[in-house]
Amino acid sequence: QVQLVESGGGLVQAGDSLRLSCAASGRTVSSVDMGWFRQAPGKEREFVASITWSFGRTSYADSVKGRFTISRDNALNTVYLQMNGLKPEDTAKYYCAADLLTGSGYNYWGQGTQVTVSS
């Protein structure tokens, strides 16, 4: 079992920055693939960024590439999503997820944290 708790969301203006945190328990973030996803009202959940357990390889959606950075702190067992240059279209509920590498993909999810970007 993995428990994930996100924090750091809020209401900001376009161009501002936010850092989301995802605190994990039950497994170390360095032993699983971790990802950030988001879901805007009326839209499907979409991939934002991920970091692999091995070598910490990162991957980003085209819409956030160059603005968002995913990272992890193994000592704190926490994954972060640094979001710079926020745009109104980034408004969504952001979720972190864990892939325990069992072949079934991301099957552990946090409760989400709301990010609202005003223009």
Side-chain angles (χ1 to χ4, degrees), residues 2-9 19-27 29 34-36 76-81 93-98 108-114:
V2 181
Q3 294 77 43
L4 303 171
V5 179
E6 302 97 332
S7 61
R19 189 179 76 160
L20 305 183
S21 300
C22 174
S25 59
R27 290 288 292 267
V29 296
M34 297 292 297
W36 285 97
L76 296 178
N77 213 32
T78 298
V79 175
Y80 302 99
L81 185 68
K93 195 163 189 179
Y94 284 70
Y95 300 86
C96 77
Y108 290 92
W109 296 82
Q111 82 290 348
T113 185
Q114 179 67 37

Side-chain angles (χ1 to χ4, degrees), residues 17-61:
S17 298
L18 275 177
R19 189 179 76 160
L20 305 183
S21 300
C22 174
S25 59
R27 290 288 292 267
T28 57
V29 296
S30 59
S31 67
V32 300
D33 287 355
M34 297 292 297
W36 285 97
F37 295 76
R38 66 187 182 187
Q39 187 168 20
K43 295 187 177 181
E44 292 189 354
R45 185 158 54 191
E46 63 175 359
F47 167 80
V48 175
S50 64
I51 185 166
T52 64
W53 73 274
S54 62
F55 306 110
R57 290 195 181 101
T58 58
S59 180
Y60 299 93

Side-chain angles (χ1 to χ4, degrees), residues 48-118:
V48 175
S50 64
I51 185 166
T52 64
W53 73 274
S54 62
F55 306 110
R57 290 195 181 101
T58 58
S59 180
Y60 299 93
D62 287 343
S63 58
V64 306
K65 206 171 288 184
R67 298 188 298 123
F68 291 10
T69 303
I70 187 171
S71 63
R72 68 183 182 212
D73 186 323
N74 294 339
L76 296 178
N77 213 32
T78 298
V79 175
Y80 302 99
L81 185 68
Q82 178 67 44
M83 306 185 295
N84 299 329
L86 283 162
K87 304 175 181 180
E89 52 264 43
D90 294 318
T91 294
K93 195 163 189 179
Y94 284 70
Y95 300 86
C96 77
D99 177 357
L100 273 57
L101 309 175
T102 60
S104 51
Y106 291 97
N107 46 14
Y108 290 92
W109 296 82
Q111 82 290 348
T113 185
Q114 179 67 37
V115 172
T116 303
V117 185
S118 63

